[in-house]
Amino acid sequence: MRIIDLRGRELSPADMLAAVPRATQARAEALDTAARLVDDVRTQGESALRDQAERFDRVTEHAIRVPAEHISEALDALAPEVRAALEEAIRRVRLASAAQVPADQTTLLGPGARIVQRWQPVSRVGVYIPGGKAVYPSSVIMNVVPAQVAGVTQIALASPPQADQGGRIHPTILGAAALLGISEVYAMGGAGAIGAFAWGVPGVGLDPVDVVSGPGNNYVASAKRAVAGVVGTDAEAGATEILVVADASADARLVAADLVSQAEHDEQASAVLVTDSEDLAARVAHDVAVQGAATRHSDRVSAALDGPQSAIVLVDDRAMAAAFSNAYAPEHLELHLTDAEAAAPAFTSAGAVFVGDQTPVSLGDYMAGSNHVLPTGGQARYAPGLGAYTFLRPQQVISYDRTALAEVRDGVVALANSEILPAHGEAIEARFTE
């Protein structure tokens, strides 16, 4: 991992952003490619999906709409320990997601004047579950459960067809979908799947959705940008990121383990350590090399850690560490600090914050109850992670009676005239004129 030394420098917010390690070239290329793949699906429908499946997944002549018997077979084949873990994860995420549904609020502005703030679920959601380098039944839970808690009545799921499964979706993903009662499933992957959700594909019986959610690589994230305005999307959850802020008290072995754990997702994964301890930095660099070489996906880990998106950042003090972290706005932030609980409020921009060395990102990936579909690429500065609120629309319901309208009659007319929109005022006056 390369070293970025910010010590002894006075950095403006713009300087801090410029110091953030990002794989900008890979993201720019992904945007262009994803837009073309999405447009191909929009114009060519099923034939584009089949062409992309052959190019990227090495699959031909597969059933894009997954038959019901494939789903039930996958449920029956789930290993007991995996099914038990999935069921417990479902329970925990359902509990945590329920706290994300706001209650209706009524504001009385005066006699006969009322505004109700209510939250309406969208009707139809498309959930994307990645495939390829890993299998993500946990992402089925993280996407489907919040949508169900929000009250969404139609949920379609897509995941890439697998060459080693005869063109079927991985059975563990299908099994997780079955546990949640999802019966509309499509074997399609990548940017094309996002386009299919946005535009619909009549040839396979897929109707357009209202919101697309789910993680993926940079191409999937970029495809969401390509369909923005056609459908709603969650934050662009692209290649994973972890930023660890650690002081001299941190256990280098645990910090290294957590950096490696996220680097194994993808060669584009970002792993960053921020510390004011040069000694800790050296020990983590050593342990990362040892652990990375020993893990199953060592080549993938090495590529991620050696990429421009990963680094060890040396800072002067805690304040500079917080400023850097908030500029980076990581998907996952871990605090390995002596006073992690007290320090946490200063770290305001992150998809999810993991406090203390016994709260690793791996916990959040599976069983914490929090959601693991989180914004990447700095979007945590302004965008939330996935939750029940992703599938809800706030609405204002206004109700005035005649007396209440009369109270504001003159004010509305005065403002309408000041804006040179007299018909607005005339619409009010019409209610008081025989």
Side-chain angles (χ1 to χ4, degrees):
M1 297 177 70
R2 65 191 176 111
I3 301 291
I4 299 176
D5 194 343
L6 301 181
R7 294 174 296 178
R9 298 170 59 184
E10 292 290 333
L11 297 174
S12 69
D15 293 334
M16 196 70 81
L17 278 172
V20 166
R22 302 270 192 218
T24 54
Q25 182 61 33
R27 192 157 180 81
E29 292 171 357
L31 280 168
D32 183 59
T33 300
R36 291 198 304 270
L37 294 171
V38 166
D39 195 57
D40 285 346
V41 172
R42 179 183 67 83
T43 58
Q44 302 169 34
E46 181 182 355
S47 65
L49 289 176
R50 293 199 176 280
D51 175 64
Q52 291 172 22
E54 184 173 3
R55 288 168 58 195
F56 302 123
D57 304 309
R58 305 182 311 281
V59 168
T60 59
E61 300 181 1
H62 66 298
I64 295 178
R65 175 69 183 257
V66 176
E69 58 267 25
H70 292 185
I71 300 172
S72 59
E73 288 170 7
L75 178 61
D76 293 340
L78 279 177
E81 66 276 12
V82 173
R83 178 166 182 161
L86 289 172
E87 289 173 340
E88 177 60 13
I90 290 168
R91 185 187 73 83
R92 288 171 177 258
V93 174
R94 200 176 294 282
L95 283 172
S97 298
Q100 299 166 345
V101 180
D104 289 357
Q105 298 288 335
T106 300
T107 303
L108 297 176
L109 298 161
R114 181 181 72 221
I115 296 178
V116 176
Q117 311 283 347
R118 71 180 185 183
W119 295 78
Q120 292 283 93
V122 299
S123 297
R124 182 166 167 78
V125 165
V127 166
Y128 182 73
I129 308 301
K133 292 185 174 70
V135 182
Y136 294 103
S138 57
S139 290
V140 177
I141 296 168
M142 300 295 175
N143 284 270
V144 170
V145 170
Q148 291 177 333
V149 168
V152 177
T153 55
Q154 296 182 41
I155 301 173
L157 184 147
S159 190
Q162 303 295 307
D164 61 359
Q165 300 289 333
R168 297 190 184 191
I169 291 174
H170 194 282
T172 311
I173 290 174
L174 285 181
L179 280 176
L180 289 162
I182 302 302
S183 58
E184 186 181 352
V185 182
Y186 299 89
M188 57 187 187
I194 305 302
F197 277 144
W199 300 103
V201 182
V204 298
L206 173 57
D207 291 326
V209 302
D210 302 312
V211 170
V212 176
S213 74
N217 59 21
N218 286 340
Y219 295 96
V220 170
S222 297
K224 291 180 184 177
R225 187 171 297 184
V227 301
V230 179
V231 293
T233 65
D234 58 348
E236 294 174 16
T240 191
E241 302 166 348
I242 180 172
L243 186 147
V244 179
V245 177
D247 58 23
S249 70
D251 185 329
R253 180 180 57 87
L254 296 182
V255 172
D258 293 350
L259 294 172
V260 169
S261 75
Q262 294 305 297
E264 79 168 336
H265 274 284
D266 191 277
E267 290 85 352
Q268 297 175 347
S270 302
V272 178
L273 167 64
V274 179
T275 183
D276 59 1
S277 170
E278 193 168 355
D279 177 65
L280 177 73
R283 287 186 284 121
V284 169
H286 173 269
D287 286 357
V288 160
V290 172
Q291 294 181 32
T295 195
R296 176 176 178 177
H297 301 298
S298 57
D299 290 346
R300 192 184 306 162
V301 169
S302 177
L305 295 179
D306 290 342
Q309 71 274 19
S310 298
I312 295 175
V313 181
L314 295 171
V315 295
D316 288 322
D317 51 29
R318 177 75 59 78
M320 185 181 251
F324 181 89
S325 176
N326 290 335
Y328 186 103
E331 178 187 21
H332 306 104
L333 169 64
E334 287 189 3
L335 301 179
H336 290 235
L337 304 168
T338 53
D339 57 344
E341 289 281 356
F347 295 86
T348 55
S349 295
V353 182
F354 298 81
V355 181
D357 65 4
Q358 299 305 301
T359 316
V361 169
S362 296
L363 173 66
D365 282 342
Y366 300 113
M367 299 293 283
S370 57
N371 204 293
H372 77 203
V373 183
L374 302 166
T376 62
Q379 292 183 91
R381 288 186 294 120
Y382 53 83
L386 187 72
Y389 42 73
T390 304
F391 308 105
L392 294 168
R393 298 159 294 155
Q395 292 180 329
Q396 300 177 82
V397 182
I398 303 98
S399 176
Y400 273 55
D401 64 17
R402 184 179 177 82
T403 301
L405 181 61
E407 286 287 321
V408 296
R409 172 184 177 184
D410 292 344
V412 173
V413 171
L415 289 173
N417 289 335
S418 76
E419 295 187 351
I420 318 177
L421 296 171
H424 283 61
E426 291 161 7
I428 300 294
E429 294 293 359
R431 285 160 173 78
F432 298 95
T433 304
E434 294 296 334

